[in-house]
Amino acid sequence: METELCHLQQLTDSHIQAIQTLESAQQKKNLSYKLDPKAFEKNSPHYQHFLYFEKTELKGYLSASTFDGVEIEASILTNNNQEIAIILINALVNYAKEQEIKRILFISDRKDPIIPDLIKKYAGAFSFTEYRLNFDPANFNQVDYSPLVLHSASQEDRKLLYRLDHEGFTPQDKLIYEQKKIEALEIEGNYIAYLDNEIVGKIKLDHFQGIIGIYGVVIVSEWQGQGLGRALLNQGIQLAIDQPFQKLYLEVDSQNARALKLYLSAGFYQEAIFDYYELDL
C-alpha cells in the first residue's frame, strides 16, 4: 500500500480538514485530543506537523509545539493504529534530536486504548495530569466586580507578562528573566487586570474559528483571597461570550484543587483527563 509521511510547519486547508475529520471520528469514540487551535493558523512558527497518509487518506497526525526551543509538547491522533503512532513518534524524536531539544512531553487522553501504554514505553516517566474543562453557558454563574478593569497587553508588556506567568511558582527576587523566552511570548489575546490603576493579574484568550481557550488566569499573590480570581475569570468568560463561539474551554492541573473548584462553580464541566509523560533526550 502506498504510504507517505509528511513533516510540515504550515498546513493547507485540505490538511486541516483531514485532521478535523480524523479527530471527529475519534471523538465519537469518546476520545479527546489536546490540539491547540492556533496550530492551524497560517504563519505559526511554534508548531510542527507530522502527517501519515495511506494513499490519499490521513491515518495519523502528530502535533508538536515549542515556545522556548527546549521542550516540545506533542499530541498523537490516529485511528487506534499502534504502528502508525510509532512511525509518528520516531519522526518527532528524530526531529527533536536534530533541533537539540532537551525533552518531549507526550500528552494523551487517559481513555485512549493504545497511546498511553505506547508513550510509557518511550517516555516512561509520568509527569502530571491535567483536566480539560468545557464551558456550559446555561450554568454561567456571573459575579460582578466592576472595579476590575482589563486592558489588552502590548509589546511593551512582555516582561510584565513573563513575571505574571511565573506568579506563584518562582519568588520575584529569584526570577531569572530569560530573554529568549520573553521574546517568544505571544502577546495577542493577553489582558492585564487592573484594580484602582494597580496591576493585579492577567488572563489570556486564544481564538480560532469559533473555538476559544482561556489560559494563564493569574492573580498577583498579595491580591489573592479577595475574590479577584473569580472576577477575572468572569470577565474573561464575558469577553468570550460577547462574540459568536462554538466552544469555550480551559485546562487545569489536577493538583490545583482551588482553581478547579473555581472553574466548576463558574459553569465549566470536565471533558477529558490528559496525562503527560516526559522523555528526556
Side-chain angles (χ1 to χ4, degrees), residues 152-212:
S152 295
S154 67
Q155 294 294 330
E156 289 72 30
D157 295 318
R158 284 185 176 276
K159 192 172 181 180
L160 169 62
L161 291 172
Y162 184 83
R163 176 174 66 80
L164 291 174
D165 279 338
H166 287 79
E167 183 73 31
F169 298 98
T170 307
Q172 294 303 309
D173 59 345
K174 295 183 179 179
L175 179 60
I176 298 174
Y177 288 89
E178 299 182 48
Q179 192 61 32
K180 186 176 181 180
K181 292 184 178 181
I182 293 174
E183 292 174 356
L185 281 174
E186 288 188 324
I187 303 302
E188 184 180 358
N190 275 291
Y191 295 86
I192 299 173
Y194 293 83
L195 183 64
D196 297 331
N197 295 318
E198 185 166 350
I199 295 170
V200 296
K202 67 172 280 285
I203 192 170
K204 186 174 189 292
L205 276 69
D206 278 346
H207 301 252
F208 180 78
Q209 296 183 353
I211 300 174
I212 304 176

Side-chain angles (χ1 to χ4, degrees), residues 6-229:
C6 300
H7 174 199
L8 306 171
Q9 187 166 349
Q10 292 189 21
L11 298 169
T12 65
D13 290 340
S14 62
H15 288 145
I16 295 172
Q17 184 176 4
I19 293 167
Q20 292 174 336
T21 298
L22 182 58
E23 181 183 19
S24 178
Q26 293 300 98
Q27 288 174 335
K28 292 177 181 178
K29 301 175 185 177
N30 199 29
L31 295 175
S32 298
Y33 298 89
K34 187 171 180 179
L35 301 180
D36 187 350
K38 292 183 74 67
F40 297 152
E41 293 182 348
K42 306 297 183 185
N43 303 316
S44 297
H46 304 296
Y47 302 91
Q48 302 293 326
H49 309 275
F50 298 83
L51 301 93
Y52 182 87
F53 292 90
E54 289 182 355
K55 293 186 177 180
T56 59
E57 184 178 359
L58 182 68
K59 293 291 188 178
Y61 169 64
L62 186 151
S63 174
S65 62
T66 181
F67 293 86
D68 57 10
V70 175
E71 181 178 274
I72 285 178
E73 287 193 0
S75 295
I76 306 165
L77 171 60
T78 75
N79 55 349
N80 298 339
N81 188 306
Q82 182 170 307
E83 292 182 2
I84 294 175
I86 291 173
I87 291 171
L88 293 169
I89 291 173
N90 285 335
L92 174 62
V93 170
N94 290 335
Y95 166 78
K97 289 180 177 178
E98 290 173 0
Q99 300 298 314
E100 298 182 345
I101 299 294
K102 301 302 182 184
R103 73 185 61 86
I104 301 173
L105 277 175
F106 290 101
I107 309 166
S108 174
D109 186 331
R110 186 174 289 180
K111 301 188 302 293
D112 194 291
I114 67 165
I115 298 300
D117 289 338
L118 187 59
I119 290 175
K120 290 174 188 177
K121 293 179 181 178
Y122 276 82
F126 170 79
S127 185
F128 63 94
T129 295
E130 189 175 66
Y131 297 138
R132 162 71 64 84
L133 306 179
N134 284 342
F135 178 68
D136 182 357
N139 292 324
F140 183 30
N141 186 10
Q142 190 168 0
V143 176
D144 183 33
Y145 201 101
S146 54
L148 193 68
V149 178
L150 300 187
H151 291 299
S152 295
S154 67
Q155 294 294 330
E156 289 72 30
D157 295 318
R158 284 185 176 276
K159 192 172 181 180
L160 169 62
L161 291 172
Y162 184 83
R163 176 174 66 80
L164 291 174
D165 279 338
H166 287 79
E167 183 73 31
F169 298 98
T170 307
Q172 294 303 309
D173 59 345
K174 295 183 179 179
L175 179 60
I176 298 174
Y177 288 89
E178 299 182 48
Q179 192 61 32
K180 186 176 181 180
K181 292 184 178 181
I182 293 174
E183 292 174 356
L185 281 174
E186 288 188 324
I187 303 302
E188 184 180 358
N190 275 291
Y191 295 86
I192 299 173
Y194 293 83
L195 183 64
D196 297 331
N197 295 318
E198 185 166 350
I199 295 170
V200 296
K202 67 172 280 285
I203 192 170
K204 186 174 189 292
L205 276 69
D206 278 346
H207 301 252
F208 180 78
Q209 296 183 353
I211 300 174
I212 304 176
I214 294 180
Y215 295 94
V217 181
V218 176
I219 293 295
V220 175
S221 57
E222 55 264 34
W223 287 95
Q224 293 177 7
Q226 302 181 45
L228 293 180

